[in-house]
Amino acid sequence: MPRHTHTDKTTIAMSQDSYYLGFDLSTQQLKCLAIDQDLKIVHSETVEFEKDLPKYRTKKGVYIRGDTIECPVAMWLEALDLVLSKYCRAEFPLEKVVAVSGSCQQHGSVYWSSQAEALLSQLNKESEKDLVHYVGPAAFAKQTAPNWQDHSTAKQCQEFEQCVGGPENLAQLTGSRAHFRFTGPQILKIAQLEPETYEKTNTISLVSSFLTSVLVGHLVELEEADACGMNLYDIRERKFNDELLHLIGNSSKQKLMGAPMKAMIAGRICKYFTQKYGFNANCKVSPMTGDNLATICSLPLRKDDVLVSLGTSTTVLLVTDKYHPSPNYHLFIHPTLPNHYMGMICYCNGSLAREKIRDQLNKERANGAENNNDWTLFNQAVLDDSKDDDNELGVYFPLGEIVPSVKAVDKRVIFNAKTGKIEEVVEKFADITHDAKNIVESQALSCRVRISPLLSDSNTKSHQNLDQDTIVKFDYDESPLREYLNKRPERTFFVGGASKNDAVVKKFAQVIGATKGNFRLDTPNSCALGGCYKAMWSFLYDSNKITIPFDKFLNDNFPWHVMENISDVDNESWDRYNTKIVPLSELEKTLS
């Protein structure tokens, strides 16, 4: 049980039979989760596209044609009918659902025809047939939606960056540099290579606003937070950038329905769902959002809290009130907290890089014999502080890395702990166990220095005798060392497969240095659950049943018993890693 205290806990006054649904329309499946008024998961149903809808002949939910990767939109409509039919077969009381919201795969886009609004309006009149009958092929100018895995827009990404003076300027404007998957370059590609399709397109939705539109029975504007994943939205000005819109075409703003939606309720669920599945006519629909944005809503994250997902890759999400964009990470408007942002940093080399060192260590210690992927020796090395290795540092990138943006490389150095200067590049350390410790430390330290510009000043200062005026550079940020010595997150939450490894998590916690605790939990339903919580808070706030912001609401009512408190705050350990900030900066400068 975490040592977490609540003050002024909010009491939710409502019927004991109220439920909230959260959809998760991902690449390979549509999941629908239901929670009750106590935020307890009470039911779940899933449609797996490849298994349950084989007629679309997708491979893991998509069509792959070289670098072009797309999804059939009609499959999503059938999946929505199918998942709700499963709820009915389970005799779940959908009439007691008071609000729905959810998560959708980010960066996908849907191209509606001029007939779409009229066809969607039929959903407010009848329900004798399935969704694909009412919202059939005629509703779409393009029958498929680009998927986030698409890599076919290199030319368009270059044009986007050139349009505003380079990747750094684009990141300053839109929160990210140009990326293959982002919707702006995808729309530009269709305008250039499929001009007839683009001409027939009356309205463009993100996957999130597509699903919201179907549920309310009319076209709705883009959800603002998800619109930040387009390379089109000027985040500071909170409007689409005219230069970038003009690059696509004069009608692009009209096709995007003008300005994104900022309201917390998109409307009531349409008659199709009340008649066919028994939803209450007063059930409210809170706009769907993107999957990463929904994930940050699935945990009680407040300003200066960090979520570290330790998977094959490592993803860091955090809540911040600082708009400090960089071409090497992403900033989105927060989906529920006014004047706040979600920072997102993605690393390519996570678990696989650690596994490579683990396998080398096991092989060497077992004289060449296999050791069944056992982590015992690796974990012992990670937590062994008896070694004389405080002047060692390494980067381990078996795959080309995103942050920093470099090719595959392994590099080990010895540095001067007082000056931070690198004294020697070495082929290997004294013992391979040093690599086990150094890979985890360097991964965690990279996270720490890159979240630092997004955090508020901390009360904890470094007590080491370091030259705090020394300039360090990470990616596009160049600042005095002192800027990295007084910034610490309040809380860190660890999720993902490798979060089950106590040694890895403890080392990450020591290096990142949260001041108010480190927590761990298993989150198999985070996207759908974030949708549930968003639906619940939006409904209660819109109904004047509560007046508190989302983060306080979730902190007050979150089922903290599912959360494991994994580590106390360790000021001494955090302080010790300050000596590695300058040499990490120096080491990264030598990479290409």
Side-chain angles (χ1 to χ4, degrees), residues 269-534:
I269 200 163
C270 66
K271 188 175 288 187
Y272 176 87
F273 298 99
T274 62
Q275 291 184 345
K276 189 162 189 173
Y277 299 111
F279 279 90
N280 190 297
N282 291 317
C283 175
K284 293 184 177 180
V285 180
S286 178
M288 311 288 140
T289 191
D291 47 17
N292 291 298
L293 294 155
T295 296
I296 212 165
C297 292
S298 70
L299 290 170
L301 297 173
R302 304 176 303 208
K303 186 182 80 167
D304 295 327
D305 285 348
V306 176
L307 169 64
V308 180
S309 177
L310 295 166
T312 301
S313 57
T314 298
T315 302
V316 181
L317 303 176
L318 71 154
V319 178
T320 178
D321 62 355
K322 297 181 183 301
Y323 186 69
H324 183 90
S326 166
N328 278 27
Y329 55 75
H330 310 281
L331 277 179
F332 297 75
I333 290 172
H334 197 286
T336 57
L337 294 180
N339 304 315
H340 284 72
Y341 308 95
M342 180 192 77
M344 178 177 173
I345 307 171
C346 301
Y347 294 89
C348 182
N349 293 283
S351 292
L352 293 182
R354 293 189 296 271
E355 288 170 8
K356 186 177 179 182
I357 300 296
R358 175 205 65 189
D359 292 344
Q360 293 171 355
L361 175 58
N362 286 344
K363 186 175 182 179
E364 183 174 306
R365 289 297 184 268
N367 297 318
E370 292 296 328
N371 207 14
N372 297 321
N373 300 327
D374 186 81
W375 286 95
T376 303
L377 294 176
F378 182 94
N379 292 346
Q380 288 172 351
V382 169
L383 297 178
D384 185 357
D385 288 329
S386 65
K387 300 185 184 74
D388 183 21
D389 58 1
D390 281 348
N391 64 338
E392 295 177 356
L393 191 65
V395 291
Y396 305 80
F397 302 153
L399 300 173
E401 187 50 85
I402 303 169
V403 184
S405 180
V406 296
K407 297 176 182 177
V409 61
D410 282 4
K411 196 167 187 179
R412 299 163 179 82
V413 298
I414 306 297
F415 65 91
N416 185 310
K418 291 183 178 180
T419 65
K421 298 298 182 183
I422 294 174
E423 297 182 332
E424 184 182 4
V425 178
V426 296
E427 178 121 1
K428 59 183 180 178
F429 292 126
D431 192 283
I432 192 173
T433 57
H434 290 216
D435 285 308
K437 186 177 182 181
N438 282 319
I439 187 175
V440 179
E441 288 184 352
S442 66
Q443 288 177 340
L445 192 63
S446 179
C447 292
R448 173 181 160 182
V449 297
R450 288 175 167 89
I451 64 175
S452 184
L454 298 171
L455 297 174
S456 304
D457 286 349
S458 163
N459 291 325
T460 306
K461 311 293 183 183
S462 171
H463 298 292
Q464 293 189 2
N465 185 25
L466 299 171
D467 182 357
Q468 299 195 11
D469 291 324
T470 300
I471 299 298
V472 292
K473 182 177 181 181
F474 293 103
D475 311 322
Y476 294 78
D477 279 323
E478 200 165 1
S479 305
L481 176 60
R482 74 173 71 88
E483 291 295 313
Y484 296 90
L485 302 181
N486 64 350
K487 302 283 186 70
R488 297 174 64 174
E490 290 206 345
R491 301 178 300 183
T492 302
F493 297 84
F494 293 94
V495 301
S499 69
K500 297 178 176 65
N501 184 311
D502 291 342
V504 170
V505 168
K506 184 173 182 180
K507 185 59 67 177
F508 263 77
Q510 287 176 345
V511 175
I512 292 174
T515 60
K516 295 185 179 177
N518 299 280
F519 305 93
R520 169 171 58 188
L521 80 164
D522 192 16
T523 57
N525 301 304
S526 59
C527 292
L529 196 55
C532 290
Y533 295 159
K534 184 175 184 290

Side-chain angles (χ1 to χ4, degrees), residues 178-197:
H179 291 277
F180 294 135
R181 63 191 183 276
F182 273 43
T183 323
Q186 292 287 345
I187 297 171
L188 178 58
K189 174 196 158 188
I190 290 168
Q192 292 175 340
L193 303 184
E194 302 177 49
E196 290 185 7
T197 296

